[in-house]
mmCIF file of all heavy atoms in Angstrom:
data_model
loop_
_atom_site.group_PDB
_atom_site.id
_atom_site.type_symbol
_atom_site.label_atom_id
_atom_site.label_comp_id
_atom_site.label_asym_id
_atom_site.label_seq_id
_atom_site.Cartn_x
_atom_site.Cartn_y
_atom_site.Cartn_z
ATOM 1 N N ASP A 172 3.942 57.128 -28.034
ATOM 2 C CA ASP A 172 3.772 58.021 -26.882
ATOM 3 C C ASP A 172 2.343 58.551 -26.912
ATOM 4 O O ASP A 172 1.878 59.031 -27.948
ATOM 5 C CB ASP A 172 4.734 59.222 -26.970
ATOM 6 C CG ASP A 172 6.195 58.813 -26.881
ATOM 7 O OD1 ASP A 172 6.462 57.601 -26.697
ATOM 8 O OD2 ASP A 172 7.064 59.699 -27.010
ATOM 9 N N ASN A 173 1.661 58.464 -25.780
ATOM 10 C CA ASN A 173 0.291 59.002 -25.762
ATOM 11 C C ASN A 173 -0.033 59.611 -24.418
ATOM 12 O O ASN A 173 0.709 59.438 -23.438
ATOM 13 C CB ASN A 173 -0.720 57.932 -26.182
ATOM 14 C CG ASN A 173 -0.906 56.856 -25.129
ATOM 15 O OD1 ASN A 173 -1.713 57.001 -24.218
ATOM 16 N ND2 ASN A 173 -0.139 55.791 -25.215
ATOM 17 N N SER A 174 -1.149 60.319 -24.396
ATOM 18 C CA SER A 174 -1.495 61.068 -23.202
ATOM 19 C C SER A 174 -2.319 60.213 -22.240
ATOM 20 O O SER A 174 -3.231 59.499 -22.655
ATOM 21 C CB SER A 174 -2.305 62.315 -23.578
ATOM 22 O OG SER A 174 -2.737 62.950 -22.388
ATOM 23 N N TYR A 179 -3.465 69.314 -22.333
ATOM 24 C CA TYR A 179 -2.729 69.973 -23.423
ATOM 25 C C TYR A 179 -1.318 69.416 -23.479
ATOM 26 O O TYR A 179 -0.684 69.201 -22.434
ATOM 27 C CB TYR A 179 -2.687 71.494 -23.202
ATOM 28 C CG TYR A 179 -4.083 72.087 -23.303
ATOM 29 C CD1 TYR A 179 -4.915 72.122 -22.186
ATOM 30 C CD2 TYR A 179 -4.571 72.550 -24.528
ATOM 31 C CE1 TYR A 179 -6.200 72.618 -22.272
ATOM 32 C CE2 TYR A 179 -5.867 73.036 -24.622
ATOM 33 C CZ TYR A 179 -6.671 73.076 -23.502
ATOM 34 O OH TYR A 179 -7.954 73.547 -23.596
ATOM 35 N N ALA A 180 -0.865 69.174 -24.719
ATOM 36 C CA ALA A 180 0.512 68.723 -24.928
ATOM 37 C C ALA A 180 1.375 69.963 -25.114
ATOM 38 O O ALA A 180 1.062 70.823 -25.947
ATOM 39 C CB ALA A 180 0.577 67.826 -26.163
ATOM 40 N N ILE A 181 2.429 70.051 -24.317
ATOM 41 C CA ILE A 181 3.280 71.253 -24.351
ATOM 42 C C ILE A 181 4.751 70.858 -24.359
ATOM 43 O O ILE A 181 5.093 69.692 -24.181
ATOM 44 C CB ILE A 181 3.012 72.152 -23.115
ATOM 45 C CG1 ILE A 181 3.354 71.377 -21.822
ATOM 46 C CG2 ILE A 181 1.567 72.636 -23.078
ATOM 47 C CD1 ILE A 181 3.537 72.268 -20.612
ATOM 48 N N LYS A 182 5.586 71.886 -24.536
ATOM 49 C CA LYS A 182 7.031 71.720 -24.301
ATOM 50 C C LYS A 182 7.288 72.165 -22.867
ATOM 51 O O LYS A 182 6.982 73.322 -22.520
ATOM 52 C CB LYS A 182 7.825 72.653 -25.232
ATOM 53 C CG LYS A 182 7.932 72.194 -26.651
ATOM 54 C CD LYS A 182 8.795 73.230 -27.372
ATOM 55 C CE LYS A 182 9.031 72.875 -28.815
ATOM 56 N NZ LYS A 182 9.670 71.597 -29.057
ATOM 57 N N TYR A 183 7.860 71.309 -22.054
ATOM 58 C CA TYR A 183 8.055 71.659 -20.640
ATOM 59 C C TYR A 183 8.894 72.931 -20.507
ATOM 60 O O TYR A 183 8.618 73.786 -19.671
ATOM 61 C CB TYR A 183 8.706 70.482 -19.884
ATOM 62 C CG TYR A 183 8.896 70.771 -18.429
ATOM 63 C CD1 TYR A 183 7.810 70.713 -17.548
ATOM 64 C CD2 TYR A 183 10.148 71.160 -17.928
ATOM 65 C CE1 TYR A 183 7.956 71.016 -16.209
ATOM 66 C CE2 TYR A 183 10.302 71.457 -16.584
ATOM 67 C CZ TYR A 183 9.205 71.386 -15.731
ATOM 68 O OH TYR A 183 9.354 71.692 -14.409
ATOM 69 N N ALA A 184 9.919 73.066 -21.363
ATOM 70 C CA ALA A 184 10.841 74.205 -21.268
ATOM 71 C C ALA A 184 10.123 75.542 -21.473
ATOM 72 O O ALA A 184 10.570 76.582 -20.973
ATOM 73 C CB ALA A 184 11.967 74.059 -22.295
ATOM 74 N N ASP A 185 8.957 75.514 -22.171
ATOM 75 C CA ASP A 185 8.213 76.751 -22.426
ATOM 76 C C ASP A 185 7.657 77.386 -21.151
ATOM 77 O O ASP A 185 7.369 78.590 -21.123
ATOM 78 C CB ASP A 185 7.031 76.492 -23.378
ATOM 79 C CG ASP A 185 7.488 76.382 -24.829
ATOM 80 O OD1 ASP A 185 8.702 76.559 -25.071
ATOM 81 O OD2 ASP A 185 6.635 76.104 -25.695
ATOM 82 N N LEU A 192 0.312 80.086 -24.189
ATOM 83 C CA LEU A 192 0.729 79.290 -25.347
ATOM 84 C C LEU A 192 -0.363 79.346 -26.401
ATOM 85 O O LEU A 192 -1.545 79.518 -26.069
ATOM 86 C CB LEU A 192 0.963 77.833 -24.938
ATOM 87 C CG LEU A 192 2.017 77.589 -23.840
ATOM 88 C CD1 LEU A 192 1.962 76.146 -23.353
ATOM 89 C CD2 LEU A 192 3.428 77.908 -24.358
ATOM 90 N N ILE A 195 -2.536 74.962 -31.342
ATOM 91 C CA ILE A 195 -2.465 74.855 -32.806
ATOM 92 C C ILE A 195 -3.198 73.643 -33.372
ATOM 93 O O ILE A 195 -3.388 73.532 -34.571
ATOM 94 C CB ILE A 195 -0.993 74.838 -33.298
ATOM 95 C CG1 ILE A 195 -0.229 73.658 -32.671
ATOM 96 C CG2 ILE A 195 -0.303 76.166 -32.996
ATOM 97 C CD1 ILE A 195 1.029 73.309 -33.452
ATOM 98 N N GLU A 196 -3.574 72.691 -32.520
ATOM 99 C CA GLU A 196 -4.222 71.480 -33.058
ATOM 100 C C GLU A 196 -5.017 70.794 -31.962
ATOM 101 O O GLU A 196 -4.754 71.005 -30.773
ATOM 102 C CB GLU A 196 -3.147 70.512 -33.602
ATOM 103 C CG GLU A 196 -3.706 69.453 -34.519
ATOM 104 C CD GLU A 196 -2.626 68.545 -35.123
ATOM 105 O OE1 GLU A 196 -1.512 68.469 -34.572
ATOM 106 O OE2 GLU A 196 -2.933 67.910 -36.149
ATOM 107 N N ILE A 198 -6.142 66.934 -30.700
ATOM 108 C CA ILE A 198 -5.744 65.533 -30.932
ATOM 109 C C ILE A 198 -6.604 64.579 -30.082
ATOM 110 O O ILE A 198 -6.281 64.269 -28.943
ATOM 111 C CB ILE A 198 -4.238 65.321 -30.570
ATOM 112 C CG1 ILE A 198 -3.361 66.357 -31.293
ATOM 113 C CG2 ILE A 198 -3.804 63.900 -30.904
ATOM 114 C CD1 ILE A 198 -1.923 66.398 -30.802
ATOM 115 N N PRO A 204 -1.414 63.249 -35.124
ATOM 116 C CA PRO A 204 -1.125 64.687 -35.135
ATOM 117 C C PRO A 204 -0.470 65.101 -36.454
ATOM 118 O O PRO A 204 0.372 64.374 -36.986
ATOM 119 C CB PRO A 204 -0.141 64.867 -33.967
ATOM 120 C CG PRO A 204 -0.297 63.659 -33.116
ATOM 121 C CD PRO A 204 -0.753 62.556 -33.996
ATOM 122 N N LYS A 206 0.804 68.320 -36.859
ATOM 123 C CA LYS A 206 1.697 69.472 -36.697
ATOM 124 C C LYS A 206 2.751 69.200 -35.636
ATOM 125 O O LYS A 206 2.519 68.420 -34.710
ATOM 126 C CB LYS A 206 0.889 70.708 -36.292
ATOM 127 C CG LYS A 206 -0.072 71.145 -37.380
ATOM 128 C CD LYS A 206 -0.864 72.337 -36.952
ATOM 129 C CE LYS A 206 -1.816 72.742 -38.080
ATOM 130 N NZ LYS A 206 -2.842 73.648 -37.617
ATOM 131 N N THR A 207 3.876 69.901 -35.765
ATOM 132 C CA THR A 207 4.936 69.817 -34.752
ATOM 133 C C THR A 207 4.764 70.982 -33.794
ATOM 134 O O THR A 207 4.508 72.118 -34.223
ATOM 135 C CB THR A 207 6.319 69.891 -35.433
ATOM 136 O OG1 THR A 207 6.431 68.771 -36.304
ATOM 137 C CG2 THR A 207 7.449 69.862 -34.411
ATOM 138 N N ILE A 208 4.879 70.707 -32.520
ATOM 139 C CA ILE A 208 4.752 71.773 -31.514
ATOM 140 C C ILE A 208 6.078 72.536 -31.464
ATOM 141 O O ILE A 208 7.130 71.945 -31.184
ATOM 142 C CB ILE A 208 4.430 71.170 -30.121
ATOM 143 C CG1 ILE A 208 3.163 70.303 -30.184
ATOM 144 C CG2 ILE A 208 4.324 72.260 -29.052
ATOM 145 C CD1 ILE A 208 1.890 71.051 -30.512
ATOM 146 N N LEU A 209 5.971 73.807 -31.748
ATOM 147 C CA LEU A 209 7.171 74.661 -31.671
ATOM 148 C C LEU A 209 7.115 75.450 -30.373
ATOM 149 O O LEU A 209 6.091 75.445 -29.680
ATOM 150 C CB LEU A 209 7.195 75.627 -32.864
ATOM 151 C CG LEU A 209 7.134 74.953 -34.247
ATOM 152 C CD1 LEU A 209 7.006 76.009 -35.358
ATOM 153 C CD2 LEU A 209 8.373 74.078 -34.465
ATOM 154 N N SER A 210 8.212 76.153 -30.053
ATOM 155 C CA SER A 210 8.233 76.949 -28.821
ATOM 156 C C SER A 210 7.047 77.898 -28.809
ATOM 157 O O SER A 210 6.736 78.527 -29.811
ATOM 158 C CB SER A 210 9.524 77.764 -28.738
ATOM 159 O OG SER A 210 10.592 76.883 -28.480
ATOM 160 N N GLY A 211 6.344 77.939 -27.658
ATOM 161 C CA GLY A 211 5.198 78.815 -27.505
ATOM 162 C C GLY A 211 3.896 78.191 -27.974
ATOM 163 O O GLY A 211 2.849 78.839 -27.944
ATOM 164 N N GLN A 212 3.926 76.940 -28.384
ATOM 165 C CA GLN A 212 2.708 76.295 -28.898
ATOM 166 C C GLN A 212 2.270 75.130 -28.008
ATOM 167 O O GLN A 212 3.058 74.587 -27.228
ATOM 168 C CB GLN A 212 2.946 75.764 -30.322
ATOM 169 C CG GLN A 212 3.213 76.895 -31.309
ATOM 170 C CD GLN A 212 3.404 76.386 -32.720
ATOM 171 O OE1 GLN A 212 3.859 75.269 -32.937
ATOM 172 N NE2 GLN A 212 3.076 77.233 -33.702
ATOM 173 N N ALA A 213 1.002 74.765 -28.174
ATOM 174 C CA ALA A 213 0.437 73.628 -27.440
ATOM 175 C C ALA A 213 -0.605 72.966 -28.327
ATOM 176 O O ALA A 213 -1.069 73.558 -29.304
ATOM 177 C CB ALA A 213 -0.219 74.091 -26.135
ATOM 178 N N ALA A 214 -0.978 71.721 -28.000
ATOM 179 C CA ALA A 214 -2.077 71.049 -28.709
ATOM 180 C C ALA A 214 -3.063 70.542 -27.682
ATOM 181 O O ALA A 214 -2.674 69.995 -26.648
ATOM 182 C CB ALA A 214 -1.554 69.893 -29.548
ATOM 183 N N ARG A 215 -4.359 70.731 -27.978
ATOM 184 C CA ARG A 215 -5.402 70.125 -27.155
ATOM 185 C C ARG A 215 -5.270 68.618 -27.339
ATOM 186 O O ARG A 215 -5.106 68.139 -28.480
ATOM 187 C CB ARG A 215 -6.769 70.613 -27.656
ATOM 188 C CG ARG A 215 -7.949 70.010 -26.935
ATOM 189 C CD ARG A 215 -8.099 70.650 -25.583
ATOM 190 N NE ARG A 215 -9.355 70.318 -24.951
ATOM 191 C CZ ARG A 215 -9.451 69.684 -23.782
ATOM 192 N NH1 ARG A 215 -8.373 69.318 -23.121
ATOM 193 N NH2 ARG A 215 -10.630 69.463 -23.257
ATOM 194 N N ILE A 216 -5.313 67.843 -26.256
ATOM 195 C CA ILE A 216 -5.152 66.391 -26.395
ATOM 196 C C ILE A 216 -6.096 65.674 -25.423
ATOM 197 O O ILE A 216 -6.441 66.225 -24.363
ATOM 198 C CB ILE A 216 -3.661 65.985 -26.176
ATOM 199 C CG1 ILE A 216 -3.406 64.577 -26.723
ATOM 200 C CG2 ILE A 216 -3.250 66.095 -24.716
ATOM 201 C CD1 ILE A 216 -1.916 64.270 -26.918
ATOM 202 N N GLY A 220 -4.700 59.991 -26.737
ATOM 203 C CA GLY A 220 -4.266 60.711 -27.940
ATOM 204 C C GLY A 220 -2.742 60.631 -28.097
ATOM 205 O O GLY A 220 -2.000 60.590 -27.116
ATOM 206 N N MET A 221 -2.308 60.630 -29.347
ATOM 207 C CA MET A 221 -0.882 60.494 -29.662
ATOM 208 C C MET A 221 -0.166 61.812 -29.372
ATOM 209 O O MET A 221 -0.635 62.882 -29.776
ATOM 210 C CB MET A 221 -0.782 60.173 -31.147
ATOM 211 C CG MET A 221 0.441 59.468 -31.557
ATOM 212 S SD MET A 221 0.207 58.941 -33.286
ATOM 213 C CE MET A 221 1.890 58.476 -33.619
ATOM 214 N N ILE A 222 0.961 61.748 -28.691
ATOM 215 C CA ILE A 222 1.705 62.973 -28.367
ATOM 216 C C ILE A 222 2.304 63.528 -29.671
ATOM 217 O O ILE A 222 2.956 62.776 -30.404
ATOM 218 C CB ILE A 222 2.866 62.670 -27.380
ATOM 219 C CG1 ILE A 222 2.361 61.929 -26.127
ATOM 220 C CG2 ILE A 222 3.647 63.940 -27.027
ATOM 221 C CD1 ILE A 222 1.646 62.763 -25.119
ATOM 222 N N PRO A 223 2.087 64.801 -29.953
ATOM 223 C CA PRO A 223 2.630 65.341 -31.212
ATOM 224 C C PRO A 223 4.141 65.543 -31.124
ATOM 225 O O PRO A 223 4.693 65.661 -30.023
ATOM 226 C CB PRO A 223 1.903 66.678 -31.349
ATOM 227 C CG PRO A 223 1.536 67.067 -29.953
ATOM 228 C CD PRO A 223 1.338 65.791 -29.181
ATOM 229 N N GLU A 224 4.772 65.544 -32.270
ATOM 230 C CA GLU A 224 6.197 65.888 -32.349
ATOM 231 C C GLU A 224 6.433 67.195 -31.604
ATOM 232 O O GLU A 224 5.612 68.113 -31.690
ATOM 233 C CB GLU A 224 6.606 66.125 -33.819
ATOM 234 C CG GLU A 224 6.784 64.897 -34.653
ATOM 235 C CD GLU A 224 8.022 64.117 -34.269
ATOM 236 O OE1 GLU A 224 9.063 64.746 -34.005
ATOM 237 O OE2 GLU A 224 7.919 62.870 -34.185
ATOM 238 N N GLY A 225 7.536 67.279 -30.894
ATOM 239 C CA GLY A 225 7.902 68.538 -30.248
ATOM 240 C C GLY A 225 7.365 68.691 -28.839
ATOM 241 O O GLY A 225 7.940 69.422 -28.045
ATOM 242 N N ALA A 226 6.279 68.006 -28.498
ATOM 243 C CA ALA A 226 5.731 68.108 -27.136
ATOM 244 C C ALA A 226 6.360 67.029 -26.267
ATOM 245 O O ALA A 226 6.766 65.971 -26.758
ATOM 246 C CB ALA A 226 4.218 67.949 -27.156
ATOM 247 N N ASP A 227 6.446 67.299 -24.966
ATOM 248 C CA ASP A 227 7.046 66.299 -24.079
ATOM 249 C C ASP A 227 6.286 66.135 -22.777
ATOM 250 O O ASP A 227 6.631 65.285 -21.954
ATOM 251 C CB ASP A 227 8.517 66.651 -23.791
ATOM 252 C CG ASP A 227 8.675 68.071 -23.247
ATOM 253 O OD1 ASP A 227 7.758 68.561 -22.564
ATOM 254 O OD2 ASP A 227 9.724 68.691 -23.533
ATOM 255 N N THR A 228 5.265 66.970 -22.560
ATOM 256 C CA THR A 228 4.595 66.981 -21.261
ATOM 257 C C THR A 228 3.106 67.254 -21.483
ATOM 258 O O THR A 228 2.735 67.962 -22.406
ATOM 259 C CB THR A 228 5.202 68.106 -20.373
ATOM 260 O OG1 THR A 228 6.601 67.836 -20.206
ATOM 261 C CG2 THR A 228 4.539 68.197 -19.007
ATOM 262 N N ILE A 229 2.293 66.691 -20.599
ATOM 263 C CA ILE A 229 0.856 66.986 -20.634
ATOM 264 C C ILE A 229 0.507 67.818 -19.400
ATOM 265 O O ILE A 229 0.892 67.461 -18.277
ATOM 266 C CB ILE A 229 0.020 65.681 -20.601
ATOM 267 C CG1 ILE A 229 0.369 64.770 -21.784
ATOM 268 C CG2 ILE A 229 -1.486 65.987 -20.537
ATOM 269 C CD1 ILE A 229 0.054 65.349 -23.153
ATOM 270 N N VAL A 230 -0.214 68.903 -19.645
ATOM 271 C CA VAL A 230 -0.763 69.645 -18.510
ATOM 272 C C VAL A 230 -2.265 69.346 -18.508
ATOM 273 O O VAL A 230 -2.924 69.418 -19.548
ATOM 274 C CB VAL A 230 -0.431 71.154 -18.589
ATOM 275 C CG1 VAL A 230 -0.850 71.765 -19.897
ATOM 276 C CG2 VAL A 230 -1.061 71.904 -17.430
ATOM 277 N N PRO A 250 8.023 67.658 -15.414
ATOM 278 C CA PRO A 250 8.468 67.314 -16.776
ATOM 279 C C PRO A 250 7.997 65.911 -17.161
ATOM 280 O O PRO A 250 8.052 64.995 -16.340
ATOM 281 C CB PRO A 250 9.996 67.387 -16.696
ATOM 282 C CG PRO A 250 10.360 67.644 -15.274
ATOM 283 C CD PRO A 250 9.127 67.978 -14.515
ATOM 284 N N GLN A 251 7.502 65.780 -18.364
ATOM 285 C CA GLN A 251 7.032 64.501 -18.935
ATOM 286 C C GLN A 251 5.814 63.907 -18.229
ATOM 287 O O GLN A 251 5.489 62.736 -18.423
ATOM 288 C CB GLN A 251 8.167 63.469 -18.970
ATOM 289 C CG GLN A 251 9.324 63.964 -19.779
ATOM 290 C CD GLN A 251 10.361 62.893 -20.068
ATOM 291 O OE1 GLN A 251 10.111 61.705 -19.992
ATOM 292 N NE2 GLN A 251 11.541 63.351 -20.416
ATOM 293 N N GLN A 252 5.147 64.756 -17.424
ATOM 294 C CA GLN A 252 3.991 64.236 -16.686
ATOM 295 C C GLN A 252 2.880 63.794 -17.641
ATOM 296 O O GLN A 252 2.625 64.440 -18.662
ATOM 297 C CB GLN A 252 3.453 65.296 -15.717
ATOM 298 C CG GLN A 252 2.604 64.657 -14.624
ATOM 299 C CD GLN A 252 2.264 65.646 -13.522
ATOM 300 O OE1 GLN A 252 2.471 66.861 -13.655
ATOM 301 N NE2 GLN A 252 1.745 65.122 -12.426
ATOM 302 N N VAL A 254 2.705 61.550 -19.748
ATOM 303 C CA VAL A 254 3.061 60.992 -21.061
ATOM 304 C C VAL A 254 3.342 59.511 -20.864
ATOM 305 O O VAL A 254 4.206 59.141 -20.077
ATOM 306 C CB VAL A 254 4.304 61.690 -21.659
ATOM 307 C CG1 VAL A 254 4.741 60.988 -22.957
ATOM 308 C CG2 VAL A 254 4.014 63.158 -21.926
ATOM 309 N N ARG A 255 2.570 58.677 -21.548
ATOM 310 C CA ARG A 255 2.856 57.238 -21.542
ATOM 311 C C ARG A 255 3.811 56.994 -22.704
ATOM 312 O O ARG A 255 3.428 57.136 -23.865
ATOM 313 C CB ARG A 255 1.590 56.421 -21.758
ATOM 314 C CG ARG A 255 0.531 56.567 -20.687
ATOM 315 C CD ARG A 255 -0.639 55.676 -21.101
ATOM 316 N NE ARG A 255 -1.806 55.843 -20.264
ATOM 317 C CZ ARG A 255 -3.047 55.882 -20.743
ATOM 318 N NH1 ARG A 255 -3.274 55.796 -22.043
ATOM 319 N NH2 ARG A 255 -4.075 55.987 -19.926
ATOM 320 N N LYS A 256 5.042 56.656 -22.363
ATOM 321 C CA LYS A 256 6.066 56.509 -23.400
ATOM 322 C C LYS A 256 5.884 55.207 -24.162
ATOM 323 O O LYS A 256 5.571 54.168 -23.570
ATOM 324 C CB LYS A 256 7.474 56.512 -22.771
ATOM 325 C CG LYS A 256 7.875 57.818 -22.106
ATOM 326 C CD LYS A 256 7.980 58.960 -23.083
ATOM 327 C CE LYS A 256 9.316 59.005 -23.805
ATOM 328 N NZ LYS A 256 9.350 60.200 -24.714
#
Side-chain angles (χ1 to χ4, degrees):
D172 295 357
N173 72 86
S174 174
Y179 294 86
I181 61 162
K182 283 182 178 302
Y183 181 77
D185 282 357
L192 301 170
I195 59 160
E196 197 177 20
I198 308 169
K206 295 179 180 165
T207 298
I208 304 295
L209 304 174
S210 289
Q212 295 182 331
R215 177 76 168 120
I216 197 163
M221 204 170 168
I222 307 284
E224 283 289 319
D227 54 31
T228 300
I229 301 297
V230 54
Q251 301 191 20
Q252 200 170 12
V254 174
R255 297 180 188 139
K256 295 296 277 182

